[in-house]
Amino acid sequence: MFGLPVDTALLVFGFPVFWILYTIIFLYRSRDWVADADASDDES
């Protein structure tokens, strides 16, 4: 891709794609943390 060796192309383009997906998944899974924390505070 763009004349780069395959290993370099994977590092240059693969890592940012991984990081974006990781961030989206983290934000999706952590969207209810405040509600969960408030609920656990009420129980104790």
Side-chain angles (χ1 to χ4, degrees):
M1 181 185 298
F2 302 112
L4 294 173
V6 173
D7 295 342
T8 304
L10 286 176
L11 285 173
V12 169
F13 297 104
F15 183 75
V17 169
F18 165 77
W19 195 254
I20 290 168
L21 290 174
Y22 179 88
T23 302
I24 290 170
I25 292 168
F26 173 80
L27 291 174
Y28 177 76
R29 291 189 50 111
S30 66
R31 68 191 187 282
D32 294 329
W33 279 2
V34 172
D36 291 345
D38 290 342
S40 66
D41 288 344
D42 293 339
E43 292 173 1
S44 56

